Amino acid sequence: METFRFDLCELPEETKGLREEVRAFLRDNLKGIPLVTRAQTWSGSDARFSAAMGAQGWIGMTWPKQYGGGERSFFERYVVLEEMLAAGAPVGAHWIADRQSGPLLLRFGNEEQRQFFLPKIATGTCFFCIGMSEPDSGSDLAATRTRADKVEGGYLVNGTKLWTSGAHHAHYMIGLFRTHYDPAKKHDGLTQFLVDLKTPGITIRPIRDLSGNAHFNEVIFEDVFVPENRLVGAEGTGWDQVRAELAFERSGPERYLSSFLLLVELIREVQKTGGTRAEEEIGRLVAHLVTLRQMSLSVAGMLNAGENPALEASVVKDLGALYEQELPVRAHELTGIEPTIGTGSDFQQVLGYLTQVTPSFSLRGGTREILRGIIARGLGLR
Amino acid sequence: MNELQTILHGTIHRLFGDFVDKNLIQKAEEGVWPEKLWAALEEAGMTRVLVPEEQGGAGGGWADAMILIKAAGEHKVPLPLAETILASAILAEAGIAVPEGVLTVLTGDLALDGKTVSGTAERTPWGRNADHGVAVLEQDGGRVAVLVLLKGSVIDEDVNLAREPRDEVTLQNADALVGGAVDPDRIGLLGALVRSGQMAGALSFLIRQSVEYANERTQFGKPIGKFQAIQQQLAILSTQAAAANLAASHAAAKADAGDALFEIAIAKVRADEAVSLATSIAHQVHGAIGFTYEHELHFATRRLWSWRAEFGSGSQWAGVLGRAVIARGPDALWPYVTAR
């Protein structure tokens, strides 16, 4: 009995040429970007880079051509993503729009919304953020309190979203707001809206994380008018839509390739000294990397076949975060070299950055405990 | 799964389901050879999955064999199915016709002299039960595969933690068939592949058994599986088992395609780590009952504790992997991984 479905999945032969194209593109477009900046990968935002990717047709790759997509396979998209991440490309600006906002609109949006938003996203010039968490609603998403009250021609939104990654450079938010409240059915009455972040009444306050960077934000809504035609799906279907969206959010190669550059630099470092212990540790880390890649590819295969890999995606995300959080620890143990900020070698700076940010890897996009709860349900324990 | 694989999967799980129970495993630990089950496996062609069709085998590949090997691990089958398949693979590669009966592999201080083999093979899996052994021995400066008749060999019986035979086999001018050239480390490599598969299978048993137990054992007025502390632990167990299973399948698929040292090493490393975490969780969830001989949990965990050390431990294979990765250099890692 295999509890989850992880079928072996090989990338089709025709993705090889695409991979070479992406590598050539990266050679040209990553020139001059310092290693420690590249270490941010999909947390790093670079509008110029996103536009260049859009021009290549590498955003919205799997979407229908009528919406600006490329009608490519999920495997082709996978190859582009993993090459970007492994090279440390600053793909953060368009990442959320490409990964989940676009697919969400394709699935639940209406025709006008698809035609309006998807082609813009695909050009790499229209960025999204996700308004889910709130001050009193983190893992317990159904505790969402931000209200959208029906008014003439639309809704009036009041409340606060928190930990909203990229809101400060995004054009739109897909926000989860409460349109109805029944204390007995907290999952009902939630609705998703497309919010233009230039709308009056919105205040975006960056929140500095422990490393001093400001990737996430507090977004405050005070009587923000959202027109009726920017409601996604139907009133009250937000919960189911969000769950589908989280499957996209958890299924990608970014869940184990966010710190690949540290592994590369660690190998460069231990190459100088060698030794059995270093060989065994590098071997173990590579064994994890390759196995995670196979698991992640398997999830891509399920997406390509139109299946729902929500459970398998949770497995990959949980294992991926464990592996990525282990990386800086092993790097420390093997080298004893001090991590730094702004000074020192590439290795020291990359280690300095990732030592500080890896705690977030088992928090963002669903905490470790929530994922394991989902897995336990899959096992028949809940 | 293709058609052959679906048939193999159905047949092997039905066979093991019909034959293997606690009593059979316990009897085997006491030295009783499960004759009927072995006969049924041979009858169904399960032992000859890798034997070429012209020799009456299934003509399958490692991806097919892996299904049987995982199943043997999952059902804790006290028989050398994995060893027989392993030995047959080496014979097929060396162009030696695969004989009927129980096969094993011989490693140790053995020497080929013309058409006979002498010396001692250490910790031979199922040595006392095997009709033939397969060794890779030196001949004219190269290495060749050799099929040795074990009748007449001197057996010094020993066992692993799961009481599976691991015997010292001493041969004196034993009759041998000499085949073609084979890589000197072939037995060790394919041995690691089959043990990775058996471990993956036994890990699947650990999930099923542990979830079942957690759902039926009641404490504080509810099944212990309703407690988040238990749920989180079983989630870890299951993700480890999933990783080990896919790594083993990946290695098997690569073994069919050619050089699979990289993937087999990964499978053994990944299974070893999964085993250490998973056996500990499975026992913790089962509490005292899982620590008794009465309960069948240990038939899996004792196998896992032995298998993780056999044919190279995770650390040894990690060293092999790491040395190669470091030698190729940091910037070659990603191109190498994606070109495999």
Side-chain angles (χ1 to χ4, degrees):
Chain A
M1 182 194 78
E2 290 183 26
T3 315
F4 312 112
R5 250 197 75 195
F6 282 106
D7 293 339
L8 204 55
C9 191
E10 291 269 334
L11 285 168
E13 198 63 21
E14 62 266 21
T15 57
K16 281 190 174 156
L18 174 62
R19 190 184 294 284
E20 288 316 312
E21 264 179 66
V22 177
R23 285 182 182 171
F25 171 87
L26 287 167
R27 275 191 292 276
D28 292 342
N29 284 274
L30 291 183
K31 252 183 224 144
I33 303 180
L35 205 68
V36 67
T37 306
R38 282 166 47 204
Q40 297 187 34
T41 63
W42 63 287
S43 295
S45 177
D46 181 338
R48 185 203 58 83
F49 190 88
S50 290
M53 270 188 73
Q56 295 288 327
W58 292 341
I59 299 174
M61 284 178 76
T62 62
W63 306 348
K65 286 186 176 157
Q66 64 183 114
Y67 304 123
E71 297 186 2
R72 317 278 291 258
S73 71
F74 277 85
F75 295 121
E76 289 174 292
R77 176 169 183 270
Y78 191 92
V79 165
V80 171
L81 294 190
E82 70 170 0
E83 285 300 321
M84 293 288 161
L85 295 166
V91 288
H94 67 271
W95 193 260
I96 288 165
D98 178 52
R99 176 182 72 188
Q100 69 199 89
S101 311
L104 181 85
L105 291 178
L106 262 181
R107 190 155 163 203
F108 300 110
N110 62 35
E111 191 53 31
E112 184 273 328
Q113 291 167 348
R114 292 180 194 165
Q115 288 187 8
F116 182 82
F117 290 103
L118 296 179
K120 285 194 187 62
I121 293 174
T123 60
T125 55
C126 177
F127 309 141
F128 274 67
C129 61
I130 308 156
M132 286 196 200
S133 293
E134 296 183 6
D136 295 317
S137 168
S139 290
D140 182 9
L141 199 55
T144 293
R145 284 214 299 238
T146 300
R147 287 187 352 252
D149 298 319
K150 191 81 188 73
V151 293
E152 178 72 34
Y155 294 81
L156 218 49
V157 179
N158 279 284
T160 303
K161 290 291 174 185
L162 200 59
W163 320 130
T164 312
S165 295
H168 54 305
H169 59 235
H171 304 99
Y172 295 94
M173 167 190 281
I174 293 187
L176 182 69
F177 305 136
R178 188 163 286 291
T179 45
H180 175 74
Y181 183 68
D182 175 353
K185 294 178 185 166
K186 290 201 312 186
H187 297 78
D188 295 353
L190 294 170
T191 306
Q192 285 187 301
F193 291 90
L194 286 150
V195 183
D196 184 337
L197 291 172
K198 292 188 302 291
T199 315
I202 296 176
T203 310
I204 298 173
R205 286 198 193 128
I207 302 169
R208 264 157 47 107
D209 67 25
L210 57 80
S211 73
N213 294 311
H215 288 297
F216 53 21
N217 302 270
E218 181 181 38
V219 184
I220 301 157
F221 296 83
E222 289 165 302
D223 287 337
V224 175
F225 179 75
V226 179
E228 217 159 34
N229 66 357
R230 288 297 169 256
L231 186 155
V232 183
E235 251 195 41
T237 60
W239 180 256
D240 289 337
Q241 289 172 205
V242 157
R243 293 210 324 172
E245 184 179 349
L246 284 168
F248 297 125
E249 180 168 353
R250 290 167 183 160
S251 61
E254 71 271 31
R255 297 309 180 184
Y256 76 99
L257 274 180
S258 296
S259 43
F260 180 70
L261 289 185
L262 179 58
L263 178 59
V264 173
E265 294 314 306
L266 176 61
I267 294 168
R268 204 180 311 285
E269 207 55 47
V270 301
Q271 209 176 21
K272 298 172 189 166
T273 47
T276 308
R277 186 164 154 241
E279 289 165 357
E280 289 179 5
E281 287 299 347
I282 296 296
R284 252 174 31 75
L285 291 169
V286 169
H288 278 276
L289 172 83
V290 173
T291 305
L292 281 162
R293 180 166 182 263
Q294 286 304 317
M295 297 180 95
S296 182
L297 275 170
S298 176
V299 169
M302 289 176 77
L303 285 172
N304 205 48
E307 292 160 27
N308 177 8
L311 187 58
E312 286 74 12
S314 296
V315 174
V316 180
K317 185 175 179 306
D318 186 29
L319 286 173
L322 282 175
Y323 155 76
E324 293 208 89
Q325 290 173 343
E326 191 188 336
L327 258 174
V329 179
R330 296 286 167 256
H332 160 69
E333 289 175 352
L334 280 177
T335 68
I337 294 173
E338 189 184 348
T340 58
I341 308 170
T343 58
S345 68
D346 277 344
F347 173 72
Q348 287 179 294
Q349 294 191 48
V350 171
L351 181 59
Y353 171 72
L354 285 165
T355 300
Q356 294 181 83
V357 301
T358 44
S360 71
F361 292 6
S362 53
L363 303 173
R364 62 186 186 189
T367 65
R368 168 172 298 145
E369 290 70 23
I370 288 292
L371 295 176
R372 289 181 181 170
I374 291 170
I375 294 165
R377 181 173 287 120
L379 291 172
L381 289 163
R382 302 176 62 186
Chain B
M1 282 198 281
N2 61 31
E3 201 184 338
L4 173 63
Q5 290 170 347
T6 308
I7 294 169
L8 287 173
H9 190 273
T11 307
I12 198 74
H13 281 279
R14 196 170 50 247
L15 261 177
F16 289 154
D18 288 347
F19 280 91
V20 184
D21 58 13
K22 208 177 97 183
N23 186 46
L24 179 132
I25 305 173
Q26 197 172 325
K27 281 277 184 303
E29 293 205 347
E30 291 157 8
V32 181
W33 172 254
E35 199 177 335
K36 277 188 192 152
L37 174 55
W38 183 260
L41 286 173
E42 286 196 324
E43 171 80 11
M46 297 292 111
T47 58
R48 296 176 74 81
V49 61
L50 291 183
V51 176
E53 282 180 76
E54 57 272 22
Q55 289 179 35
W62 279 107
D64 311 312
M66 186 48 77
I67 291 168
L68 308 184
I69 291 165
K70 281 186 180 179
E74 185 171 341
H75 292 265
K76 306 156 286 206
V77 175
L79 279 172
L81 178 61
E83 286 79 358
T84 299
I85 290 173
L86 161 62
S88 74
I90 291 168
L91 292 175
E93 283 175 20
I96 301 176
V98 181
E100 295 289 339
V102 179
L103 305 178
T104 190
V105 288
L106 305 167
T107 55
D109 189 16
L110 297 169
L112 175 65
D113 181 15
K115 294 198 167 178
T116 64
V117 173
S118 299
T120 300
E122 309 289 344
R123 296 197 72 75
T124 304
W126 308 87
R128 76 195 69 162
N129 309 105
D131 302 303
H132 292 87
V134 173
V136 176
L137 302 175
E138 198 180 328
Q139 187 193 52
D140 304 330
R143 295 296 180 109
V144 290
V146 175
L147 176 70
V148 188
L149 188 65
L150 292 185
K151 198 195 278 177
S153 60
V154 179
I155 305 285
D156 186 2
E157 295 191 354
D158 201 348
V159 291
N160 68 6
L161 292 185
R163 307 276 193 280
E164 293 181 312
R166 295 293 185 263
D167 303 328
E168 188 182 273
V169 177
T170 303
L171 305 165
Q172 201 157 21
N173 298 321
D175 287 335
L177 267 177
V178 180
V182 172
D183 186 277
D185 301 324
R186 200 65 182 151
I187 288 176
L189 184 68
L190 294 178
L193 175 62
V194 302
R195 286 290 183 269
S196 302
Q198 288 172 287
M199 286 193 274
L203 287 165
S204 296
F205 168 77
L206 289 192
I207 310 177
R208 181 158 45 85
Q209 171 58 38
S210 301
V211 168
E212 225 172 84
Y213 182 77
N215 275 334
E216 84 197 14
R217 168 70 174 170
T218 298
Q219 287 288 275
F220 305 105
K222 55 182 176 181
I224 60 169
K226 296 293 171 205
F227 290 98
Q228 288 195 0
I230 302 286
Q231 291 174 359
Q232 299 268 313
Q233 289 300 304
L234 290 177
I236 297 172
L237 197 174
S238 69
T239 57
Q240 292 295 324
N245 265 280
L246 192 62
S249 298
H250 187 213
K254 286 292 171 185
D256 285 327
D259 164 40
L261 172 67
F262 188 66
E263 288 78 12
I264 292 174
I266 286 169
K268 194 69 163 60
V269 171
R270 200 58 195 84
D272 185 317
E273 190 173 328
V275 162
S276 299
L277 287 162
T279 50
S280 153
I281 292 170
H283 274 292
Q284 190 64 28
V285 167
H286 277 82
I289 194 72
F291 191 62
T292 62
Y293 192 86
E294 175 68 21
H295 195 280
E296 66 174 325
L297 178 64
H298 64 87
F299 290 124
T301 53
R302 284 186 292 123
R303 279 175 169 71
L304 288 167
W305 290 326
S306 281
W307 292 343
R308 71 179 171 189
E310 292 177 357
F311 293 106
S313 70
S315 297
Q316 286 166 313
W317 283 111
V320 170
L321 262 180
R323 257 189 302 289
V325 166
I326 294 167
R328 278 190 293 268
D331 300 312
L333 175 60
W334 184 249
Y336 186 80
V337 167
T338 51
R340 292 291 303 171

